[in-house]
Amino acid sequence: MLTVDDVLEQVGEFGWFQKQAFLTLCLLSAAFAPVYVGVIFLAFTPDHRCLSPGVAELSRRCGWSLAEELNYTVPGPGAAGETLPRHCRGYEVDWNQSGLSCVDPLAGLATNRSHLPLGPCRHGWVYDTPGSSIVTEFNLVCDDSWKVDLFQSCVNLGFFLGSLGVGYIADRFGRKLCLLATTLVGAVLGVLTAVAPDYTSLLLLRLLQGLVSKGSWTSGYILITEFVGLGHRRMVAILYQTAFTVGLVLLSGLAYVIPHWRWLQLATSLPTFLLLLCYWCVPESPRWLLSQKRNTQVIKIIDHIAQKNGKSPLPDLKMLSLEEDVTEKLSPSFADLFSMPHLRKHTLILMYLWFTSSVLYQGLIMHVGATGGNLHLDFLYSALVEFPATFIILTTIDRFGLIRPLMVSNLVAGTACAVMIFISHDLHWLNITVACFGRMGITIVFQLVCLVNAELYPTFIRIAKPKENTIYLQIQTSERAST
């Protein structure tokens, strides 16, 4: 009586077939990066000021440089603790009147500029950027700046809701169908987002994209870990997440080349349609097929894996059968996570780790976008530190396990965030350096939490359908029959 892992040892645990499937699914992981953190470039907020009718004409007539125009027509930063008038308020002055001087146009109106009345930006804003974002297109600044956070919150809500349903879909209809369906819908929604006519439709599309995109990434994660042998499962799971980092690096370069958000959204969405080629490159999981008693398809896939890996097919594979495990008789539910004291403790700790690592990871990415430096370079630097994070994981987990690296990484990330509170915004390089250390620490936490979550729980709780891990391949050969 052999398990699925025993069969993979015979046909190849990580041969050519697994490597091909792994690289194909890694493209899926990389394509998830623009959805997860694309808000950095889609919704960047450039320097802006009130649009004042007549200022542009006065500036041309007087021959002002941009610095002179700002000095003469834009209020200063104001007192500490106030909303920045420079960005959100302007002088209540008719700039079209002919009596304004080119030397100091406001001198004839008041002896001190601070005495001039200030008002909101009734005519819109001027943005100092060669590109565009949803902020510049829909004027999401000042009183409407909270709408940028809502834009990202919608995709995060989609991730949460999608995560609740993707497990059921993958178990009910198969990993491959779940992957293809979510990839197709995600690609279509990405294109529709690029042509969204207003902010409200943009929010709805972003929510729906979050619903399916996390499901697509998770389906790829499940598929590749079920195709490889037990000895390579950790490595593949970690490198699959590292492919997401490759997507971050590519995103920074693409955003630099394409500074307009609609074209950038299209450029990151259209290639996703090519991932539908997974239909021909990646078969269904044999473990799931066995749970559905589709043994004939399992035999074909195992023979295909053996052929791709240069192994001899298993001509003596006569019959596949399911052997019930005692855990099969249980009906796993959400309540099982809290059914026993040690499971309750593990669940609460892991829920806390999932929450803190997700918030901190995205928070550090957003922090990079708010430091006021070169957005593309800062984003690239912080993304590159995830590669040494992967190296640290691969070189430490076999020696130290999962818990100690998880603890140290949490400590590094938390310390970095605490230190950043006391660093002046003027020390840009120091801010980025400390943020990168925090980013490296929380990346390690994120990847280790995935592994801990998969390895800590018993089989019947870890997977909605426990049959997947208690299925046995019964390979009856003539030799075994004779013995």
Side-chain angles (χ1 to χ4, degrees), residues 387-399:
F387 291 111
T390 299
F391 177 78
I392 291 173
I393 296 173
L394 291 174
T395 55
T396 57
I397 56 174
D398 289 334
R399 182 176 180 182

Side-chain angles (χ1 to χ4, degrees), residues 77-303:
E82 294 184 4
T83 302
L84 295 179
R86 184 183 186 87
H87 294 160
C88 302
R89 304 175 72 185
Y91 290 119
E92 294 283 351
V93 172
D94 180 11
W95 295 99
N96 291 307
Q97 55 185 297
S98 57
L100 295 178
S101 168
C102 289
V103 177
D104 190 354
L106 299 179
L109 302 178
T111 56
N112 191 329
R113 287 191 193 181
S114 61
H115 297 158
L116 289 172
L118 298 175
C121 301
R122 297 187 177 87
H123 304 283
W125 287 264
V126 177
Y127 298 97
D128 296 329
T129 176
S132 66
S133 70
I134 65 170
V135 171
T136 64
E137 183 167 333
F138 301 112
N139 289 325
L140 307 184
V141 293
C142 298
D143 291 340
D144 289 331
S145 60
W146 60 272
K147 293 183 178 180
V148 178
D149 297 327
L150 181 60
F151 176 75
Q152 182 63 15
S153 297
C154 280
V155 73
N156 288 337
L157 177 61
F159 291 157
F160 173 72
L161 298 177
S163 298
L164 296 178
V166 67
Y168 171 79
I169 296 173
D171 284 334
R172 178 67 178 82
F173 302 103
R175 285 81 165 95
K176 182 176 179 179
L177 180 61
C178 180
L179 182 145
L180 293 174
T182 52
T183 300
L184 175 60
V185 175
V188 171
L189 290 171
V191 173
L192 291 178
T193 301
V195 296
D198 52 55
Y199 175 76
T200 303
S201 59
L202 196 66
L203 289 184
L204 177 61
L205 291 168
R206 194 68 171 167
L207 173 64
L208 296 176
Q209 193 176 23
L211 274 171
V212 298
S213 58
K214 189 62 179 291
S216 178
W217 186 91
T218 305
S219 299
Y221 185 93
I222 296 172
L223 258 179
I224 192 57
T225 53
E226 292 187 350
F227 273 130
V228 301
L230 186 60
H232 298 81
R233 203 158 292 158
R234 277 185 174 182
M235 177 195 69
V236 165
I238 293 170
L239 293 180
Y240 179 79
Q241 296 182 74
T242 305
F244 174 83
T245 305
V246 175
L248 295 178
V249 173
L250 295 176
L251 176 62
S252 63
L254 197 61
Y256 178 79
V257 176
I258 307 175
H260 299 279
W261 79 271
R262 291 188 183 272
W263 290 108
L264 177 62
Q265 178 67 26
L266 271 179
T268 56
S269 300
L270 290 177
T272 310
F273 285 101
L274 297 177
L275 297 175
L276 296 175
L277 296 174
C278 289
Y279 179 84
W280 292 277
C281 300
V282 181
E284 182 57 87
S285 167
R287 300 172 189 266
W288 181 81
L289 291 172
L290 278 172
S291 71
Q292 304 298 307
K293 299 183 180 180
R294 293 156 65 173
N295 297 15
T296 303
Q297 290 178 256
V298 176
I299 296 174
K300 292 180 180 179
I301 292 174
I302 291 175
D303 287 341

Side-chain angles (χ1 to χ4, degrees), residues 1-3 6 321-323 471-476 480:
M1 198 76 63
L2 298 178
T3 66
D6 293 331
S321 64
L322 296 176
E323 180 173 302
I471 289 170
Y472 289 85
L473 285 171
Q474 186 176 6
I475 305 177
Q476 296 184 340
R480 290 193 178 91

Side-chain angles (χ1 to χ4, degrees), residues 40-51:
I40 292 293
F41 300 110
L42 297 179
F44 72 91
T45 303
D47 290 335
H48 51 279
R49 59 187 182 277
C50 288
L51 174 63

